[in-house]
PDB file of all heavy atoms in Angstrom:
ATOM      1  N   LEU V  57     -19.787   8.829  -2.032  1.00  0.00           N
ATOM      2  CA  LEU V  57     -19.500   9.301  -0.677  1.00  0.00           C
ATOM      3  C   LEU V  57     -20.589  10.265  -0.206  1.00  0.00           C
ATOM      4  O   LEU V  57     -21.015  10.209   0.953  1.00  0.00           O
ATOM      5  CB  LEU V  57     -18.125   9.977  -0.619  1.00  0.00           C
ATOM      6  CG  LEU V  57     -16.917   9.076  -0.883  1.00  0.00           C
ATOM      7  CD1 LEU V  57     -15.632   9.898  -0.892  1.00  0.00           C
ATOM      8  CD2 LEU V  57     -16.827   7.948   0.124  1.00  0.00           C
ATOM      9  N   THR V  58     -21.044  11.128  -1.089  1.00  0.00           N
ATOM     10  CA  THR V  58     -22.110  12.071  -0.734  1.00  0.00           C
ATOM     11  C   THR V  58     -23.380  11.321  -0.347  1.00  0.00           C
ATOM     12  O   THR V  58     -24.033  11.662   0.644  1.00  0.00           O
ATOM     13  CB  THR V  58     -22.375  13.040  -1.903  1.00  0.00           C
ATOM     14  OG1 THR V  58     -21.176  13.798  -2.121  1.00  0.00           O
ATOM     15  CG2 THR V  58     -23.534  13.972  -1.608  1.00  0.00           C
ATOM     16  N   ARG V  59     -23.745  10.285  -1.108  1.00  0.00           N
ATOM     17  CA  ARG V  59     -24.966   9.529  -0.807  1.00  0.00           C
ATOM     18  C   ARG V  59     -24.887   8.826   0.541  1.00  0.00           C
ATOM     19  O   ARG V  59     -25.884   8.706   1.242  1.00  0.00           O
ATOM     20  CB  ARG V  59     -25.244   8.495  -1.902  1.00  0.00           C
ATOM     21  CG  ARG V  59     -26.088   9.031  -3.009  1.00  0.00           C
ATOM     22  CD  ARG V  59     -26.772   7.969  -3.833  1.00  0.00           C
ATOM     23  NE  ARG V  59     -25.987   6.814  -4.188  1.00  0.00           N
ATOM     24  CZ  ARG V  59     -25.155   6.747  -5.231  1.00  0.00           C
ATOM     25  NH1 ARG V  59     -24.985   7.783  -6.015  1.00  0.00           N
ATOM     26  NH2 ARG V  59     -24.513   5.636  -5.487  1.00  0.00           N
ATOM     27  N   VAL V  60     -23.724   8.352   0.919  1.00  0.00           N
ATOM     28  CA  VAL V  60     -23.624   7.561   2.145  1.00  0.00           C
ATOM     29  C   VAL V  60     -23.497   8.438   3.400  1.00  0.00           C
ATOM     30  O   VAL V  60     -23.758   7.976   4.514  1.00  0.00           O
ATOM     31  CB  VAL V  60     -22.464   6.541   2.025  1.00  0.00           C
ATOM     32  CG1 VAL V  60     -21.126   7.167   2.365  1.00  0.00           C
ATOM     33  CG2 VAL V  60     -22.711   5.311   2.846  1.00  0.00           C
ATOM     34  N   ARG V  61     -23.138   9.686   3.259  1.00  0.00           N
ATOM     35  CA  ARG V  61     -22.922  10.557   4.429  1.00  0.00           C
ATOM     36  C   ARG V  61     -24.133  10.636   5.358  1.00  0.00           C
ATOM     37  O   ARG V  61     -23.975  10.624   6.569  1.00  0.00           O
ATOM     38  CB  ARG V  61     -22.491  11.953   3.980  1.00  0.00           C
ATOM     39  CG  ARG V  61     -21.053  12.012   3.515  1.00  0.00           C
ATOM     40  CD  ARG V  61     -20.672  13.409   3.033  1.00  0.00           C
ATOM     41  NE  ARG V  61     -19.313  13.453   2.553  1.00  0.00           N
ATOM     42  CZ  ARG V  61     -18.228  13.608   3.314  1.00  0.00           C
ATOM     43  NH1 ARG V  61     -18.356  13.744   4.616  1.00  0.00           N
ATOM     44  NH2 ARG V  61     -17.024  13.631   2.781  1.00  0.00           N
ATOM     45  N   ALA V  62     -25.338  10.741   4.812  1.00  0.00           N
ATOM     46  CA  ALA V  62     -26.530  10.848   5.664  1.00  0.00           C
ATOM     47  C   ALA V  62     -26.675   9.629   6.573  1.00  0.00           C
ATOM     48  O   ALA V  62     -27.135   9.751   7.710  1.00  0.00           O
ATOM     49  CB  ALA V  62     -27.781  11.023   4.817  1.00  0.00           C
ATOM     50  N   ALA V  63     -26.248   8.478   6.102  1.00  0.00           N
ATOM     51  CA  ALA V  63     -26.329   7.262   6.920  1.00  0.00           C
ATOM     52  C   ALA V  63     -25.322   7.275   8.062  1.00  0.00           C
ATOM     53  O   ALA V  63     -25.424   6.460   8.984  1.00  0.00           O
ATOM     54  CB  ALA V  63     -26.111   6.033   6.044  1.00  0.00           C
ATOM     55  N   LEU V  64     -24.378   8.195   8.021  1.00  0.00           N
ATOM     56  CA  LEU V  64     -23.335   8.271   9.053  1.00  0.00           C
ATOM     57  C   LEU V  64     -23.576   9.382  10.067  1.00  0.00           C
ATOM     58  O   LEU V  64     -22.744   9.612  10.936  1.00  0.00           O
ATOM     59  CB  LEU V  64     -21.963   8.453   8.394  1.00  0.00           C
ATOM     60  CG  LEU V  64     -21.538   7.339   7.441  1.00  0.00           C
ATOM     61  CD1 LEU V  64     -20.206   7.695   6.784  1.00  0.00           C
ATOM     62  CD2 LEU V  64     -21.450   6.010   8.170  1.00  0.00           C
ATOM     63  N   GLU V  65     -24.713  10.053   9.985  1.00  0.00           N
ATOM     64  CA  GLU V  65     -24.978  11.182  10.889  1.00  0.00           C
ATOM     65  C   GLU V  65     -24.918  10.799  12.353  1.00  0.00           C
ATOM     66  O   GLU V  65     -24.475  11.576  13.184  1.00  0.00           O
ATOM     67  CB  GLU V  65     -26.330  11.812  10.558  1.00  0.00           C
ATOM     68  CG  GLU V  65     -26.332  12.562   9.255  1.00  0.00           C
ATOM     69  CD  GLU V  65     -27.674  13.172   8.909  1.00  0.00           C
ATOM     70  OE1 GLU V  65     -28.630  13.052   9.711  1.00  0.00           O
ATOM     71  OE2 GLU V  65     -27.766  13.784   7.827  1.00  0.00           O
ATOM     72  N   SER V  66     -25.333   9.613  12.711  1.00  0.00           N
ATOM     73  CA  SER V  66     -25.409   9.231  14.132  1.00  0.00           C
ATOM     74  C   SER V  66     -24.098   8.711  14.711  1.00  0.00           C
ATOM     75  O   SER V  66     -23.978   8.597  15.927  1.00  0.00           O
ATOM     76  CB  SER V  66     -26.497   8.171  14.322  1.00  0.00           C
ATOM     77  OG  SER V  66     -26.140   6.985  13.638  1.00  0.00           O
ATOM     78  N   VAL V  67     -23.101   8.405  13.898  1.00  0.00           N
ATOM     79  CA  VAL V  67     -21.908   7.741  14.434  1.00  0.00           C
ATOM     80  C   VAL V  67     -21.090   8.596  15.387  1.00  0.00           C
ATOM     81  O   VAL V  67     -20.251   8.072  16.108  1.00  0.00           O
ATOM     82  CB  VAL V  67     -21.002   7.154  13.329  1.00  0.00           C
ATOM     83  CG1 VAL V  67     -21.742   6.160  12.483  1.00  0.00           C
ATOM     84  CG2 VAL V  67     -20.351   8.228  12.500  1.00  0.00           C
ATOM     85  N   GLY V  68     -21.348   9.868  15.440  1.00  0.00           N
ATOM     86  CA  GLY V  68     -20.642  10.725  16.385  1.00  0.00           C
ATOM     87  C   GLY V  68     -21.272  10.755  17.765  1.00  0.00           C
ATOM     88  O   GLY V  68     -20.716  11.342  18.697  1.00  0.00           O
ATOM     89  N   GLU V  69     -22.401  10.105  17.911  1.00  0.00           N
ATOM     90  CA  GLU V  69     -23.106  10.104  19.188  1.00  0.00           C
ATOM     91  C   GLU V  69     -22.471   9.081  20.147  1.00  0.00           C
ATOM     92  O   GLU V  69     -21.908   8.074  19.711  1.00  0.00           O
ATOM     93  CB  GLU V  69     -24.585   9.799  18.970  1.00  0.00           C
ATOM     94  CG  GLU V  69     -25.278  10.751  18.007  1.00  0.00           C
ATOM     95  CD  GLU V  69     -25.128  12.220  18.380  1.00  0.00           C
ATOM     96  OE1 GLU V  69     -25.218  12.561  19.580  1.00  0.00           O
ATOM     97  OE2 GLU V  69     -24.925  13.041  17.467  1.00  0.00           O
ATOM     98  N   PRO V  70     -22.581   9.319  21.456  1.00  0.00           N
ATOM     99  CA  PRO V  70     -21.911   8.458  22.440  1.00  0.00           C
ATOM    100  C   PRO V  70     -22.267   6.972  22.340  1.00  0.00           C
ATOM    101  O   PRO V  70     -21.418   6.116  22.607  1.00  0.00           O
ATOM    102  CB  PRO V  70     -22.359   9.031  23.784  1.00  0.00           C
ATOM    103  CG  PRO V  70     -22.711  10.451  23.491  1.00  0.00           C
ATOM    104  CD  PRO V  70     -23.243  10.461  22.086  1.00  0.00           C
ATOM    105  N   GLN V  71     -23.489   6.645  21.960  1.00  0.00           N
ATOM    106  CA  GLN V  71     -23.887   5.236  21.918  1.00  0.00           C
ATOM    107  C   GLN V  71     -23.135   4.437  20.850  1.00  0.00           C
ATOM    108  O   GLN V  71     -23.181   3.222  20.845  1.00  0.00           O
ATOM    109  CB  GLN V  71     -25.401   5.070  21.754  1.00  0.00           C
ATOM    110  CG  GLN V  71     -25.967   5.614  20.473  1.00  0.00           C
ATOM    111  CD  GLN V  71     -26.458   7.043  20.599  1.00  0.00           C
ATOM    112  OE1 GLN V  71     -25.945   7.836  21.392  1.00  0.00           O
ATOM    113  NE2 GLN V  71     -27.457   7.395  19.804  1.00  0.00           N
ATOM    114  N   TRP V  72     -22.429   5.103  19.953  1.00  0.00           N
ATOM    115  CA  TRP V  72     -21.669   4.415  18.909  1.00  0.00           C
ATOM    116  C   TRP V  72     -20.196   4.265  19.275  1.00  0.00           C
ATOM    117  O   TRP V  72     -19.384   3.855  18.438  1.00  0.00           O
ATOM    118  CB  TRP V  72     -21.826   5.158  17.576  1.00  0.00           C
ATOM    119  CG  TRP V  72     -23.229   5.078  17.092  1.00  0.00           C
ATOM    120  CD1 TRP V  72     -24.177   6.058  17.157  1.00  0.00           C
ATOM    121  CD2 TRP V  72     -23.874   3.941  16.528  1.00  0.00           C
ATOM    122  NE1 TRP V  72     -25.366   5.603  16.655  1.00  0.00           N
ATOM    123  CE2 TRP V  72     -25.206   4.297  16.253  1.00  0.00           C
ATOM    124  CE3 TRP V  72     -23.458   2.649  16.215  1.00  0.00           C
ATOM    125  CZ2 TRP V  72     -26.118   3.416  15.696  1.00  0.00           C
ATOM    126  CZ3 TRP V  72     -24.376   1.771  15.659  1.00  0.00           C
ATOM    127  CH2 TRP V  72     -25.685   2.154  15.400  1.00  0.00           C
ATOM    128  N   ALA V  73     -19.837   4.552  20.517  1.00  0.00           N
ATOM    129  CA  ALA V  73     -18.434   4.516  20.932  1.00  0.00           C
ATOM    130  C   ALA V  73     -17.766   3.172  20.651  1.00  0.00           C
ATOM    131  O   ALA V  73     -16.612   3.128  20.224  1.00  0.00           O
ATOM    132  CB  ALA V  73     -18.309   4.872  22.415  1.00  0.00           C
ATOM    133  N   ALA V  74     -18.447   2.070  20.884  1.00  0.00           N
ATOM    134  CA  ALA V  74     -17.830   0.754  20.655  1.00  0.00           C
ATOM    135  C   ALA V  74     -17.415   0.581  19.197  1.00  0.00           C
ATOM    136  O   ALA V  74     -16.417  -0.076  18.905  1.00  0.00           O
ATOM    137  CB  ALA V  74     -18.785  -0.357  21.061  1.00  0.00           C
ATOM    138  N   HIS V  75     -18.164   1.173  18.284  1.00  0.00           N
ATOM    139  CA  HIS V  75     -17.842   1.088  16.855  1.00  0.00           C
ATOM    140  C   HIS V  75     -16.670   1.993  16.493  1.00  0.00           C
ATOM    141  O   HIS V  75     -15.925   1.700  15.564  1.00  0.00           O
ATOM    142  CB  HIS V  75     -19.044   1.520  16.008  1.00  0.00           C
ATOM    143  CG  HIS V  75     -20.230   0.646  16.160  1.00  0.00           C
ATOM    144  ND1 HIS V  75     -20.649  -0.208  15.178  1.00  0.00           N
ATOM    145  CD2 HIS V  75     -21.103   0.482  17.195  1.00  0.00           C
ATOM    146  CE1 HIS V  75     -21.727  -0.861  15.584  1.00  0.00           C
ATOM    147  NE2 HIS V  75     -22.016  -0.447  16.808  1.00  0.00           N
TER     148      HIS V  75
END
Side-chain angles (χ1 to χ4, degrees):
L57 295 176
T58 297
R59 270 200 317 276
V60 83
R61 285 178 182 276
L64 300 176
E65 289 179 2
S66 65
V67 302
E69 304 306 319
Q71 63 267 30
W72 294 103
H75 297 252

